[in-house]
Amino acid sequence: YSANQQTPDSAPTMTAMVTGVKTSDGVLSIDQDVARQEKDNAVIQAHKLTTILELAKARGMSTGVVTTARVTHATPAATYAHTAERDWETDSKLPAGTSVKDIAAQAVDNFAANHGMEVLMGGGRTYFMPNTKFDPEYPTVKGRRKDGRDLTSEWQTKFNGKYVWNKAQFDAIDPANTKSLLALFEPSHVQYEADREKMDGAGEPSIAEMTDKAIDILQKNKKGFFLMVEGGRIDHGHHAGNAYRALTDTIAMSDAVRKAMEKTDPEDTLIVVSADHSHVFTIAGYPKRGNPILGKVVGAGKTDFAKASDGMPYTTLSYANGRGYHVLPVGGDTSYNEPIQTGRVADMTHVDTTDQGFHQEALVPLSSETHAGEDVAIFA
């Protein structure tokens, strides 16, 4: 929960995780006494909370953030930015009269010269680029910044850093001679793991590969390091009602955890794995062990599909709310282009529910599936 909601969004939950303080919906690393969308930076500065990344930086440690979402999205932004609106990711999002800096600018401006984050990797390239400049990967897409700043260039100059935007450039980075690295692989979020190799012509690394290189850069510091790694697209798969992509990205996150464990020693490095919230996602129906998790329910000792009281089979996985059932040629976010279709609208007997384009049934019709309010596990 957050200070003002029983079911939270990612801004106050990640704020709580990195500062130890509960705060309100939509705000990042400021306390609950500030109204959402507060425009006055003096108010923000008076109520800002110190993050674990900032504490690590003050101790002389190296710091990094890796995400499969935009690096300016709520979860990564909570580690380094202070604002009363999580959506103020670039200056073109700021309302008139706002003295608070946008989140992308804070990634550069909140740190002294030569003392910025050593690693910032993920998506959100256009949030760092001026609107007069075309994206290097998608020639019809322009940057989003109205202030003319090219934050990718400023990162390199201010922090003696390197900037990459594709897999070949990423692979060419030698951690031994890299002081800091800004890597932005998409205009917005990076590709889902299921789509990464087939949908991205320029290529982008997996979250495990980003974690691997981040640790190589960060561990050069004898004083130690702090690294936040987020499998952000797990959340997006659930919001779209596509368990296939949510779970595939969860496997990719597991690979990143395994890579971090291989590259560190538990004698001197603590690894914590958790979530900032859950989703209204259920595993139910008494399926037998070994039944495909994406499949239809088959009970223990049975060979036929279990039937609901309407005489139709049902899936092990479903959502309490969202856009509902669809089978699409491409999965994930494409469901937002389809009409909302909740409830029991189709007989699943001959539907391949394990297909990547299958979107699970949902009960309550909403434009997007919501978070849930139960406690999340913490592993360390």
Side-chain angles (χ1 to χ4, degrees), residues 50-69:
T50 303
T51 75
I52 189 171
L53 186 146
E54 292 167 335
L55 285 172
K57 183 60 64 178
R59 290 172 65 95
M61 300 167 75
S62 291
T63 60
V65 169
V66 168
T67 180
T68 54

Side-chain angles (χ1 to χ4, degrees), residues 291-329:
N291 202 56
I293 192 65
L294 292 167
K296 295 179 276 287
V297 172
V298 177
K302 305 291 185 181
T303 57
D304 296 332
F305 296 134
K307 301 290 180 65
S309 59
D310 57 12
M312 296 190 292
Y314 56 96
T315 55
T316 302
L317 304 178
S318 62
Y319 292 92
N321 60 42
R323 300 191 69 85
Y325 163 69
H326 290 286
V327 181
L328 304 172

Side-chain angles (χ1 to χ4, degrees), residues 36-40 83 85 87-100 102 146:
R36 186 167 183 175
Q37 298 195 339
E38 170 60 56
K39 297 179 180 181
D40 188 346
T83 181
E85 178 51 66
D87 293 334
W88 292 348
E89 296 182 55
T90 193
D91 72 313
S92 59
K93 298 273 191 177
L94 298 174
T98 305
S99 56
V100 182
D102 64 273
K146 296 193 303 183

Side-chain angles (χ1 to χ4, degrees), residues 311-361:
M312 296 190 292
Y314 56 96
T315 55
T316 302
L317 304 178
S318 62
Y319 292 92
N321 60 42
R323 300 191 69 85
Y325 163 69
H326 290 286
V327 181
L328 304 172
V330 180
D333 303 335
T334 52
S335 63
Y336 294 114
N337 300 324
E338 303 293 329
I340 295 174
Q341 190 169 244
T342 53
R344 299 281 284 169
V345 298
D347 186 342
M348 299 290 170
T349 301
H350 302 294
V351 175
D352 182 5
T353 63
T354 67
D355 185 84
Q356 66 164 351
F358 181 79
H359 291 67
Q360 275 69 20
E361 291 176 310

Side-chain angles (χ1 to χ4, degrees), residues 16 22 28 37 52 59 126 142 154 157 262 302 335 353:
K22 290 281 189 182
L28 295 169
Q37 298 195 339
I52 189 171
R59 290 172 65 95
T126 52
K142 280 187 172 183
E154 291 186 30
T157 301
E262 290 171 355
K302 305 291 185 181
S335 63
T353 63

